Amino acid sequence: MSSSALIEIREQSVIPFHTYLWKIASRCNLNCSYCYVYNRADQRWRQQPHFMSEQTARQTALRVREHLEAHKKEDLGITFHGGEPMLGGVNHLQMLLEVIDQELISQGFKVRLAMQTNLTLFTEEIGDLLLKYNVCVGTSLDGPPELNDLFRIDHQGRPSSAAVEHNLQKLRMPPYQKLFAGILCVINPFSSPIRVLDHLLRFSPPGIDFLLPLNNHDDLPLGKVKDKDSTAYGDWLIRTFDHWWELGAPSEIRIFNSILRLCCGMSSGFESLGLDPVDLVVVETNGDIEGVDSLKAAYEGATCLSCNVFENDFDTVASHEMVRFRQNGLNELCQTCCRCPVVKICGGGYIPHRYSAARGFDNPSVYCRDLEKIIRHIHATLKTTINSATCGDVFDVAGHSSAS
Ligand code: SF4
């Protein structure tokens, strides 16, 4: 990038980052067949150092501090991610947490620490360290063993659910239960939604995040056929929602709570829904700074911003066109989405789901009909439950009163 272009970009206002996803390990002890890091289009992980070093961690923390000071912010989130963030063991985690303590917490910043892990390597020693620094832990489980172990396997093809569930039982009990943040579950449209939800609720997770698989228009999701309208994922979500609603909405389910909030005119709090700007950025084990991590499922280099913590500050990254693309709301959506009556809630869906080689991200989500269906269902449920005026006009944002 030329220096004049850089100066011009930096002079424009930027939306500062609040959540920093640190890829502290670039390898994993599991080999889930759908994994967007290892088993999809982008194979650049092979060139990454296995673990984030102290030097890279410190430089990242200093860049974060510089960015927040420039924007007069003191609250931030740091999430350890991978690969598998527990792969480097307790000493690696301790080094990273000490760096964050020295460079940020001790400097007066309020840091929400979290970790997304497969949990198979959890030990009490690691748990005690996470307790000391108050690091919240989210894990992944795709339902009961016969479903989870279809895809979540190790490098020898062995199932992972026994180890995960064993450690989940520890995590949900004292003294660790206050660290337990929730469970990610990738949707399998051929599964029983009720059986999946009931199984996950057995662990009393504070939150559940049902994820639509990271597919797109060229790499269709399980159960979808090109040019054939199917709402298998929307139907799955509706059955799950109805069961959850009948149970009194135990545990926060992020996609449902986000739609409910958006229906009431609040912000989504979720980068996959709504039109709020995304304020999350990723730092790889070598210090490379990247955009939304899951774009790796789309094509090789999709997340690449050509920035690194040793050479670039976060203001430069926040000015990058790929980052601004995620912050521009309606302006960056395709014509179909712009005309869509539910766009204020859907937001065009998650960016990786919009991709096709022919049109880039200028498409509706590959889950378009599913999203519209679950949004309309939740909106209708809400209207029958509360004062309809509260959620009456959310479908009118684009000037339409019904779906096209
Ligand atoms: S429902 Fe479909 S058309 Fe409407 S905003 Fe979402 S992806 Fe776009």
Side-chain angles (χ1 to χ4, degrees):
M1 186 181 296
S2 73
S3 58
S4 60
L6 198 59
I7 290 165
E8 188 183 328
I9 284 172
R10 287 167 64 95
E11 281 173 353
Q12 300 168 14
S13 63
V14 298
I15 297 172
F17 299 114
H18 282 107
T19 304
Y20 300 82
L21 201 147
W22 290 24
K23 310 278 282 186
I24 65 169
S26 68
R27 302 294 189 276
C28 187
N29 59 320
L30 295 187
N31 187 31
C32 303
S33 50
Y34 54 50
C35 179
Y36 68 85
V37 180
Y38 303 111
N39 293 322
R40 302 298 288 280
D42 196 328
Q43 291 292 304
R44 289 174 306 140
W45 61 271
R46 295 175 191 277
Q47 276 82 54
Q48 286 286 342
H50 286 216
F51 300 106
M52 182 179 279
S53 68
E54 180 174 349
Q55 187 191 18
T56 303
R58 198 170 298 281
Q59 180 65 18
T60 304
L62 290 171
R63 288 294 192 196
V64 170
R65 197 163 111 196
E66 166 190 66
H67 184 61
L68 295 176
E69 282 171 350
H71 292 276
K72 299 186 171 41
K73 305 279 182 196
E74 58 180 26
D75 294 312
L76 71 147
I78 295 177
T79 300
F80 289 166
H81 211 278
E84 169 45 48
M86 292 187 187
L87 199 62
V90 69
N91 291 339
H92 184 238
L93 289 170
Q94 177 150 357
M95 175 275 288
L96 295 165
L97 290 165
E98 283 173 0
V99 167
I100 291 168
D101 192 8
Q102 291 158 10
E103 305 298 347
L104 290 163
I105 298 170
S106 300
Q107 307 298 323
F109 291 93
K110 298 187 180 78
V111 187
R112 286 171 284 104
L113 288 164
M115 173 186 288
Q116 185 60 38
T117 167
N118 65 41
L119 209 65
T120 56
L121 303 174
F122 180 81
T123 62
E124 289 180 10
E125 200 181 10
I126 287 178
D128 292 345
L129 177 71
L130 300 183
L131 268 181
K132 179 179 168 191
Y133 287 94
N134 200 21
V135 183
C136 294
V137 177
T139 190
S140 299
L141 188 69
D142 288 352
E146 72 274 13
L147 287 169
N148 181 78
D149 296 338
L150 279 176
F151 303 109
R152 298 192 62 79
I153 51 177
D154 72 8
H155 292 271
Q156 283 73 47
R158 292 174 302 202
S160 63
S161 58
V164 177
E165 293 197 6
H166 175 77
N167 288 332
L168 255 178
Q169 292 296 0
K170 283 192 205 164
L171 186 61
R172 65 185 287 258
M173 304 298 284
Y176 305 119
Q177 93 275 28
K178 69 177 188 175
L179 302 178
F180 186 21
I183 298 176
L184 296 186
C185 173
V186 176
I187 297 170
N188 178 340
F190 298 113
S191 67
S192 158
I194 291 169
R195 181 152 164 64
V196 170
L197 181 59
D198 285 348
H199 188 79
L200 299 184
L201 289 175
R202 285 176 46 207
F203 300 100
S204 311
I208 297 174
D209 200 356
F210 287 118
L211 302 176
L212 292 162
L214 279 170
N215 294 87
N216 55 57
H217 293 278
D218 292 344
D219 177 18
L220 292 174
L222 181 70
K224 281 199 183 283
V225 179
K226 195 142 190 85
D227 299 327
K228 291 238 164 55
D229 256 356
S230 151
T231 55
Y233 290 86
D235 296 335
W236 192 97
L237 283 167
I238 285 172
R239 289 183 61 203
T240 310
F241 175 84
D242 287 347
H243 185 48
W244 175 71
W245 197 253
E246 278 164 23
L247 292 173
S251 298
E252 166 145 343
I253 296 186
R254 188 152 67 157
I255 185 169
F256 301 155
N257 285 88
S258 294
I259 294 172
L260 288 165
R261 273 196 293 272
L262 287 161
C263 282
C264 295
M266 295 185 267
S267 71
S268 150
F270 184 22
E271 74 168 308
S272 306
L273 287 168
L275 294 168
D276 289 346
V278 176
D279 63 359
L280 177 148
V281 69
V282 179
V283 180
E284 293 282 349
T285 52
N286 68 348
D288 280 353
I289 307 171
E290 305 214 321
V292 54
D293 195 38
S294 48
L295 274 182
K296 286 176 176 161
Y299 60 93
E300 174 108 4
T303 60
C304 187
L305 303 178
S306 300
C307 292
N308 186 287
V309 292
F310 292 101
E311 288 155 23
N312 306 99
D313 56 36
F314 281 111
D315 269 19
T316 302
V317 178
S319 306
H320 195 287
E321 60 177 1
M322 277 302 289
V323 174
R324 286 182 176 268
F325 174 77
R326 295 156 55 207
Q327 299 176 331
N328 246 348
L330 267 178
N331 298 325
E332 299 293 351
L333 296 185
C334 69
Q335 285 304 307
T336 308
C337 290
C338 287
R339 289 194 300 267
C340 174
V342 303
V343 69
K344 193 172 177 182
I345 298 176
C346 176
Y350 195 31
I351 293 176
H353 297 154
R354 299 179 205 162
Y355 179 75
S356 70
R359 296 174 57 87
F361 299 98
D362 192 26
N363 300 299
S365 168
V366 73
Y367 297 104
C368 173
R369 307 303 292 180
D370 306 279
L371 290 166
E372 183 186 339
K373 202 164 179 181
I374 182 65
I375 288 167
R376 287 188 176 281
H377 181 78
I378 291 178
H379 183 259
T381 305
L382 194 58
K383 279 189 96 165
T384 62
T385 309
I386 64 170
N387 178 358
S388 62
T390 308
C391 58
D393 61 355
V394 290
F395 289 171
D396 294 337
V397 67
H400 295 258
S401 57
S402 62
S404 50

